[in-house]
Amino acid sequence: MIPMSHYLIVSSIMFFVGVYGFIARKNLLAVLISIELILNSVEINFSVFNRYLYPDHLEGMFFSLFGIAISAAETAVAIAIIINIYRVAGNIDVRHIDKLKH
Amino acid sequence: MDFSGFLMMPSELGLLAIFVFLLAFDILAAETRAMRWFRPVAIALMTVQMVWGFFPAPEGTAFGEMYVSSPLTSMMKSILNIGTLVVMLQAGEWLRRPENSIREGEFYVITLATLLGMYIMVSAGNFMMLYLGIEIASLPVACLAAYNKYKEHSAEAGAKYILMTALSSGIMMFGLSYLYGAMGTMYFSDMNAAVAAEPMTVLGFVFFFSGLGFKISLVPFHSWAPDVYQGAPTATTAYLSVVSKAAAVFALVLVLHHVFGALAVLWHWMLWGLSVLTIVVGNLFAIRQRDIKRFFAYSSISQAGYILLGVLHGSSAGLTATLYFVFVYLFSNLAAFGVIAAVENQSGRTDIASYKGLYKSNPRLALVMMLAVFSLAGIPPLGGFFSKFFIFAAAAQGGDYLFVLIALINTVVSLYYYLRIIRAMFIDAPGADAVSSFRTDPYNSVSLVLCTTGILVVGVVSWFYNFIAQATF
C-alpha cells in the first residue's frame, strides 16, 4: 500500500502550484483553473486522511463531496462574471482589468 | 427520518420561506404591474423576519450538533437582520433606475440567500456547516458586486471578489483538512476536547485563520477590499462592509472560543499583531483616498482592527464589547452609505470633491453624514464613542495597555481623515458642478432616520449594552 505521506506530498505540491498560478497567470480562466487545483488538493487531503487515519467514519469523504459541489458553483459564478467582463471590456487579460484606482 | 431538528431553527425556516416566496413572486410577476409591489412586500417581510428574530429562539443543538442555537447566536442573527433590512431600504432607489428595474427582484432574493448563509455560519456546530455557510454567504455577493453588468468597474469588482473569495476559501479548506487530519473530527465540541498545540493543528489553524481573515479584510489579506468596495454598486458595498464583515467576525469569535480556546496562548499574539497592523495600515491608506467608497473601505478595514481588539482577550466583557461595537458600527457605517447612495443616485459621482458644499444644498443629508462620521471616529455623545470605550476598557482589563495606547493614537489619526469629509461638506465652497438640492427617496429616508436614531440612542441608553451582555457567555 502506498504510504500516506506520498499523497500528502502530491496534494501539497498541487496546492502551492495553484497558489503560484493564481498569482502568475495572466488569463482569468487560467487563474480560475489554478483555484480548482487548490480545491482539488484539499479534497485529496480530506479523502486521504479519512481513508488512512479514521477509516471508521466518513466525515472527510463527505467534506470532499460538499467541496466538489461548492467548487462547481463557484466556477459557474466566476465564469458568468468572466463572460460579462469579456462583453464589457473585450478581453480577459488580468493586466487590462485595472480600471479601479490602485 | 426525524425532522424534529427543524423545530430548532425557526429563524432559518422563516427566512427560507421569505426567500422562496420572493423568488416565486419575481419569476411569476416579471414585467407586470405587480412588480410595483415587490419592494414594499420584500421590505415588509424582512421587517417581520427581524421582529420575529427578537423573540427568544429555542436553545440547544439539532442534527447531531451540526446546528447550534443559543441566545448568543440569535443576538448575532438579529444584528445581521437589522443590517440587511437597512441595506434593502437603501438599495431601492438605485434598483428603480431604468437600467436595473428589470432585475430589481434579483437583488433582494440574492441578498436574502446570503443572509441565510450567514445564519448558518453563526449557528454552525461543525466545520463543514461553517464552510457551507461561508460559501453561501460569499458566492452570491460576487453576483451583487457585478450587478451593474454594463459597467466595467462593476464587472471588475465582481471578478476580483469571486477570485479572492475562492482563493481564500481554498486556503481555509486546506487548513481545515489538516485540522481534520490532526483530530479526526470536524465537530466543534469534539475538537475542543482534542485540540492541542501540535504542529499539524497549528498549521491548520493558521491556514484556516488566513482564509477567514480575507472575509473580515484584516491587513495582510485586505487587498481586495478597496477595489471591490469602489467598483461594486453602493448598496452592495454597504452590505459587504457591514453585514458580511459582521458575520465573518461572529464566526471567528465563536470558533476561537468554542474550538481553539486551548490554543489561546498561540493565537493571542498572532491576533494582536494583525489587529495593530490592520488599524495602522487602514488608517494610513484612508488619508490619501479621493473616492469616498474607497475611503470607507479603508476606514472599515481599520474598524475591523478595533473589533479584533475585543476578541483578543476572550473575556466575557471583551465579547460583549465586540458585539456592541459591531452593533454601533452597523448604524454608523450604514448611515454613511445611505448618504453616499443618495448623493450618487442624484449626481452619479462618488469622489469626495463632489461633497463640497453639501451642507448648503442638502443640510439634512450633511448632518446625517456628520453624525455617522463622528460616530465612526468616536466623538463622545454618539454611539461610536461608547463602543470604542468598552473595547478599550476590556483590553485594559486584560492588562494590554500598549495596545490601548496604539489604538488611541490611531483614533486621533482617524479623526484627521474623517474631518476631511466634514470640511468638504461644511467649509469648502461648492464648485460649479456641486450637487443640487434634491429630495431623498422615502425608503432611504426611513433607513437614514433608523441609523441616526441608532447612533444617537444606542450609546446613551445602557439598556442595549446590558441586553447584549446577558446573551453572551
Side-chain angles (χ1 to χ4, degrees):
Chain A
M1 201 163 157
I2 303 166
M4 187 174 85
S5 55
H6 287 44
Y7 288 103
L8 293 181
I9 290 168
V10 169
S11 77
S12 303
I13 292 174
M14 266 173 80
F15 179 83
F16 286 105
V17 166
V19 172
Y20 173 78
F22 184 87
I23 298 165
R25 282 323 202 90
K26 296 291 177 250
N27 187 305
L28 277 179
L29 288 174
V31 173
L32 195 60
I33 292 170
S34 308
I35 290 173
E36 289 302 310
L37 271 181
I38 294 177
L39 294 174
N40 287 348
S41 80
V42 172
E43 275 133 31
I44 293 177
N45 262 357
F46 269 111
S47 316
V48 168
F49 282 136
N50 197 166
R51 176 74 181 75
Y52 280 78
L53 296 178
Y54 312 105
D56 44 341
H57 296 294
L58 283 174
E59 269 185 289
M61 299 292 182
F62 280 132
F63 205 112
S64 303
L65 280 176
F66 276 97
I68 292 167
I70 293 272
S71 69
E74 220 158 51
T75 313
V77 174
I79 288 191
I81 290 174
I82 292 173
I83 290 174
N84 191 33
I85 286 192
Y86 184 74
R87 280 195 186 140
V88 180
N91 70 64
I92 52 169
D93 191 316
V94 174
R95 282 165 296 191
H96 291 106
I97 306 179
D98 57 353
K99 299 294 177 291
L100 297 168
K101 203 173 132 205
H102 306 289
Chain B
M1 200 188 149
D2 179 22
F3 292 104
S4 64
F6 284 110
L7 293 176
M8 296 293 300
M9 37 203 308
S11 52
E12 279 79 2
L13 292 181
L15 187 66
L16 197 61
I18 296 174
F19 171 77
V20 172
F21 173 77
L22 287 182
L23 187 63
F25 190 155
D26 190 30
I27 293 171
L28 298 176
E31 297 181 41
T32 63
R33 287 171 59 91
M35 275 311 277
R36 272 186 311 161
W37 295 101
F38 193 90
R39 174 157 71 147
V41 167
I43 283 166
L45 287 175
M46 191 59 218
T47 313
V48 171
Q49 167 74 11
M50 188 190 78
V51 173
W52 163 249
F54 283 123
F55 288 100
E59 282 178 50
T61 60
F63 304 111
E65 282 195 26
M66 279 273 185
Y67 177 90
V68 180
S69 173
S70 70
L72 182 62
T73 61
S74 24
M75 167 76 60
M76 290 170 168
K77 286 173 195 168
S78 294
I79 295 180
L80 299 175
N81 281 339
I82 298 171
T84 311
L85 180 67
V86 173
V87 170
M88 283 167 107
L89 285 167
Q90 291 176 354
E93 191 183 5
W94 158 71
L95 288 168
R96 281 289 151 112
R97 304 173 92 178
E99 74 266 25
N100 294 328
S101 58
I102 193 169
R103 292 173 283 139
E104 188 192 359
E106 290 168 26
F107 183 88
Y108 297 100
V109 172
I110 295 176
T111 309
L112 290 179
T114 60
L115 185 62
L116 186 63
M118 289 168 196
Y119 278 13
I120 296 174
M121 270 165 86
V122 168
S123 275
N126 179 307
F127 271 110
M128 193 161 83
M129 285 293 277
L130 180 72
Y131 168 68
L132 290 176
I134 289 177
E135 291 298 326
I136 299 172
S138 57
L139 289 185
V141 175
C143 308
L144 293 182
Y147 192 90
N148 279 340
K149 67 177 192 179
Y150 302 113
K151 285 194 181 145
E152 203 172 343
H153 281 188
S154 183
E156 186 180 332
K160 280 180 174 160
Y161 186 77
I162 187 74
L163 292 177
M164 288 313 271
T165 200
L167 177 71
S168 71
S169 62
I171 291 174
M172 190 176 70
M173 271 174 92
F174 194 71
L176 288 182
S177 72
Y178 278 126
L179 288 174
Y180 174 67
M183 290 182 261
T185 175
M186 299 250 82
Y187 287 93
F188 287 1
S189 50
D190 296 346
M191 285 178 106
N192 190 28
V195 74
E198 292 162 10
M200 204 153 142
T201 313
V202 174
L203 186 71
F205 173 71
V206 171
F207 272 94
F208 169 75
F209 184 83
S210 317
L212 212 53
F214 271 100
K215 314 279 184 213
I216 314 178
S217 65
L218 297 179
V219 150
F221 323 110
H222 70 294
S223 55
W224 61 274
D227 279 357
V228 173
Y229 282 27
Q230 185 192 353
T234 305
T236 310
T237 310
Y239 194 70
L240 263 176
S241 75
V242 175
V243 186
S244 267
K245 185 173 279 198
V249 168
F250 294 159
L252 180 71
V253 170
L254 292 171
V255 168
L256 285 183
H257 283 98
H258 289 326
V259 184
F260 298 107
L263 291 183
V265 201
L266 288 172
W267 56 253
H268 183 269
W269 292 109
M270 191 170 91
L271 218 57
W272 196 95
L274 287 182
S275 4
V276 169
L277 211 62
T278 307
I279 296 176
V280 173
V281 173
N283 272 341
L284 291 184
F285 278 84
I287 293 176
R288 48 190 290 269
Q289 299 309 320
R290 293 213 186 85
D291 186 283
I292 196 154
K293 277 155 85 179
R294 223 176 156 78
F295 171 89
F296 273 102
Y298 280 108
S299 129
S300 82
I301 289 172
S302 82
Q303 299 281 341
Y306 290 107
I307 298 175
L308 276 195
L309 181 50
V311 181
L312 209 53
H313 290 281
S315 60
S316 173
L319 184 65
T320 314
T322 306
L323 273 137
Y324 184 75
F325 191 96
V326 172
F327 191 53
V328 174
Y329 168 74
L330 179 152
F331 286 123
S332 328
N333 225 32
L334 285 180
F337 274 107
V339 177
I340 296 174
V343 172
E344 191 191 1
N345 276 319
Q346 189 63 25
S347 67
R349 291 173 62 188
T350 56
D351 50 329
I352 293 178
S354 66
Y355 285 77
K356 282 182 181 170
L358 189 72
Y359 179 66
K360 297 226 171 56
S361 54
N362 298 285
R364 274 179 294 183
L365 278 185
L367 277 176
V368 172
M369 188 62 146
M370 184 193 82
L371 285 176
V373 161
F374 277 168
S375 176
L376 285 172
I379 302 280
L382 304 173
F385 168 74
F386 292 97
S387 63
K388 277 211 172 84
F389 177 77
F390 287 128
I391 289 261
F392 290 159
Q397 248 173 28
D400 205 347
Y401 296 108
L402 178 61
F403 199 157
V404 174
L405 181 70
I406 298 174
L408 275 175
I409 293 172
N410 274 284
T411 310
V412 179
V413 175
S414 73
L415 195 58
Y416 166 73
Y417 63 76
Y418 284 129
L419 282 177
R420 277 178 58 213
I421 295 184
I422 306 285
R423 195 190 72 181
M425 290 189 309
F426 287 87
I427 299 176
D428 287 353
D433 52 352
V435 183
S436 55
S437 179
F438 63 89
R439 282 186 70 80
T440 314
D441 169 66
Y443 286 86
N444 198 354
S445 306
V446 172
S447 86
L448 289 178
V449 169
L450 195 70
C451 290
T452 315
T453 321
I455 294 171
L456 292 173
V457 170
V458 173
V460 182
V461 182
S462 59
W463 180 82
F464 287 97
Y465 186 82
N466 295 331
F467 186 65
I468 292 174
Q470 45 102 3
T472 53
F473 40 78

